[in-house]
Amino acid sequence: MVKSKTWLRLASLGFIMLIPLMALFLLVGLVLYWGFDVRILGKNFIILADQGPVPERKVYGALASLPATLLWVYALWRLFLLFFNFQIGKLVNEKTISHLRCFSLFSLLSVTSGFLLSGVVRWAMGVFDNEPLWTHLGFSDTHGAVLFSAAIIYVVTHIIEEGFAYKKETKEYV
C-alpha cells in the first residue's frame, strides 16, 4: 500500500475538524438570526445580516432558509465522510466518488433552493414590501461560482467512474 503524503493527511485531518464546525456555525447562525434577531456576533466580528428580520415574518424566513441550509449540511456531511474514509486508509474508490458526487449535487441543490426561496427570505427580512416575491430573487457571483464548481465536480466524478470501469474491464480482459 502506498503511504499518503504527510501534508495530504494533515489537510484531510484539518477538513475533518473544519467541516463539522462549518455545519454547526451554519445551524447556529440560522437559529440566532431568525430565532433571536442576532445580526452581529461580537463588535463587527461576524455580521449575519445588515438588518434583522421583521418580527411577524420570522417563521416564514426561517422556513424559507431551512431547505438550503439542510441541503448544505448534508453536502458537508458527505464531504466529511470522504475525508474521514481517507483518514482511516480508504483511498479513492467507488464510495469516494459517491461522496464527492453527492457533495456536488447537494451543493447545487442548496444554492438552487436558496435562490428560489430568496424572495421569501428577503421579504421576511423586510428588504422589500408590496411587490411580488419573484421580482426579488437574490443571486450573486458567489452563487454562480458554487454552481459552476459543483457542476464541474459532478461531471468529473462521472469521468473518474468511467476510468474505474475501464480499468476493471481491462483487468478482466487480461
Side-chain angles (χ1 to χ4, degrees):
M1 184 169 144
V2 177
K3 186 169 166 68
S4 299
K5 296 176 182 172
T6 304
W7 72 267
L8 198 52
R9 287 265 172 217
L10 290 173
S12 175
L13 188 59
F15 285 125
I16 287 172
M17 291 185 286
L18 185 63
I19 291 170
L21 290 175
M22 285 178 63
L24 181 65
F25 180 75
L26 182 64
L27 294 170
V28 167
L30 184 81
V31 170
L32 286 176
Y33 182 74
W34 292 109
F36 301 100
D37 193 18
V38 174
R39 292 174 289 160
I40 299 173
L41 300 176
K43 186 172 171 95
N44 293 326
F45 176 62
I46 296 175
I47 299 173
L48 298 176
D50 292 329
Q51 65 188 58
V54 176
E56 57 273 5
R57 300 178 187 168
K58 283 183 179 184
V59 172
Y60 302 109
L63 289 174
S65 299
L66 208 53
T69 302
L70 294 177
L71 288 166
W72 182 240
V73 167
Y74 184 72
L76 289 174
W77 169 249
R78 293 303 293 255
L79 195 60
F80 174 83
L81 290 175
L82 183 149
F83 286 113
F84 181 77
N85 284 337
F86 173 76
Q87 203 64 27
I88 62 172
K90 296 180 182 176
L91 301 176
V92 177
N93 58 29
E94 287 81 8
K95 199 66 175 165
T96 305
I97 295 166
S98 172
H99 289 313
L100 193 57
R101 184 176 296 148
C102 282
F103 168 73
S104 65
L105 179 63
F106 282 91
S107 296
L108 195 140
L109 291 173
S110 175
V111 171
T112 303
S113 67
F115 168 69
L116 293 174
L117 293 168
S118 63
V120 177
V121 172
R122 295 178 70 211
W123 169 77
M125 293 171 68
V127 174
F128 68 91
D129 282 320
N130 303 321
E131 297 291 333
L133 293 178
W134 65 269
T135 62
H136 296 283
L137 298 175
F139 192 81
S140 70
D141 54 348
T142 304
H143 293 106
V146 170
L147 286 175
F148 184 71
S149 299
I152 287 173
I153 293 169
Y154 188 81
V155 171
V156 165
T157 61
H158 283 281
I159 291 170
I160 294 169
E161 195 172 57
E162 262 192 45
F164 271 113
Y166 179 75
K167 179 182 175 183
K168 182 179 178 184
E169 182 181 315
T170 305
K171 200 178 215 179
E172 290 174 354
Y173 179 75
V174 173

